[in-house]
């Protein structure tokens, strides 16, 4: 059964290093480790196909902007015949401190617009998520403005380490499943 690994973010150079694009960053780091680039255009997304221990794995970066990510994810899932339980969505999370990871096998959106869109388009909440903490904005910041800012220089080392750990978490999910990964990376 093929797997679908989705990194959420916004397309365009101006968003590349922003907090909201940490999902793209993780997918790119995973792809690079596999000797791939996520550059093929299909399903309103950039994608790459890899093999992981004999199984096909599709890496997907929706190019629909965050709030419409579900259209790309549902299209790719249908085309590649991927069931929701074989989808892993990687995204930013305001409720986790910068660099902290949390894996879930299902659940609500937590207010994340990309996850809301995916739930609406798939018609189900039962897909795995790897949440990467981006922290909360300081008083006076509006959330939409905060998520579209780059990480501060003081956070760069922490977020780079979190991206590396996220790649390890994706590998663990592929090798041993979400429950093992949750025990290892949610601590």
């Amino acid at each position: 059964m093929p797997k679908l690994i989705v990194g959420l973010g916004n397309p365009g150079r101006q968003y590349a290093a922003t907090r909201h694009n940490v999902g793209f960053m993780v997918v790119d780091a995973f792809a690079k480790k596999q000797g791939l680039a996520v550059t093929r255009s299909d399903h309103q997304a950039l994608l790459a196909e890899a093999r992981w221990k004999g199984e096909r794995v599709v890496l997907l970066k929706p190019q629909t902007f965050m709030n419409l990510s579900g259209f790309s994810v549902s299209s790719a899932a249908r085309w590649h015949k991927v069931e929701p339980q074989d989808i892993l969505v990687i995204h930013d999370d305001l409720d986790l401190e910068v660099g902290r990871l949390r894996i879930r096998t299902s659940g609500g959106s937590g207010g994340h617009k990309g996850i809301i869109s995916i739930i609406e388009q798939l018609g189900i909440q039962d897909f795995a998520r790897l949440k990467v903490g981006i922290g909360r904005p300081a008083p006076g910041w509006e959330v939409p403005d905060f998520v579209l800012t780059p990480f501060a220089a003081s956070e760069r080392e922490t977020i780079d380490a979190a991206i590396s750990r996220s790649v390890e978490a994706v590998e663990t999910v592929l090798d041993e499943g979400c429950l093992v990964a949750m025990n290892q990376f949610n601590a």
Side-chain angles (χ1 to χ4, degrees):
M1 178 66 78
K3 307 283 187 218
L4 181 60
I5 299 173
V6 179
L8 295 186
N10 285 309
R13 186 172 290 158
Q14 70 271 33
Y15 300 112
T18 64
R19 294 169 188 275
H20 226 14
N21 276 35
V22 76
F24 279 8
M25 295 173 201
V26 173
V27 166
D28 285 336
F30 179 83
K32 183 177 180 181
K33 191 170 178 182
Q34 307 310 312
L36 300 169
V38 185
T39 56
R40 193 174 103 208
S41 184
D42 204 359
H43 306 288
Q44 296 180 298
L46 296 176
L47 62 91
E49 290 187 43
R51 285 272 182 221
W52 187 267
K53 299 191 177 177
E55 287 195 58
R56 186 166 51 108
V57 177
V58 178
L59 307 176
L60 190 79
K61 294 172 23 181
Q63 300 296 290
T64 55
F65 287 93
M66 185 67 75
N67 297 359
L68 301 174
S69 298
F71 291 100
S72 174
V73 173
S74 64
S75 174
R78 280 191 310 274
W79 176 261
H80 292 283
K81 296 177 176 52
V82 177
E83 296 297 324
Q85 65 268 17
D86 290 319
I87 298 173
L88 173 64
V89 178
I90 305 162
H91 66 91
D92 58 296
D93 192 303
L94 285 164
D95 293 325
L96 297 174
E97 65 190 53
V98 174
R100 186 176 170 103
L101 306 182
R102 181 164 294 144
I103 300 168
R104 294 284 184 248
T105 56
S106 66
S109 69
H112 192 285
K113 303 268 195 253
I115 298 297
I116 291 170
S117 177
I118 294 169
I119 290 169
E120 287 174 354
Q121 293 306 310
L122 292 179
I124 192 167
Q125 296 183 13
D126 297 333
F127 56 89
R129 302 97 194 271
L130 169 55
K131 303 175 181 190
V132 181
I134 62 168
R136 277 250 168 234
W141 273 89
E142 294 294 325
V143 169
D145 295 331
F146 176 73
V147 299
L148 296 178
T149 61
F151 290 97
S154 61
E155 298 170 317
R156 227 27 263 184
E157 186 176 325
T158 301
I159 203 61
D160 288 345
I163 290 168
S164 293
R165 281 194 333 275
S166 295
V167 169
E168 293 172 18
V170 170
E171 293 170 344
T172 302
V173 168
L174 290 171
D175 283 340
E176 303 179 63
C178 280
L179 294 180
V180 171
M182 288 168 69
N183 287 331
Q184 188 172 340
F185 293 93
N186 287 1

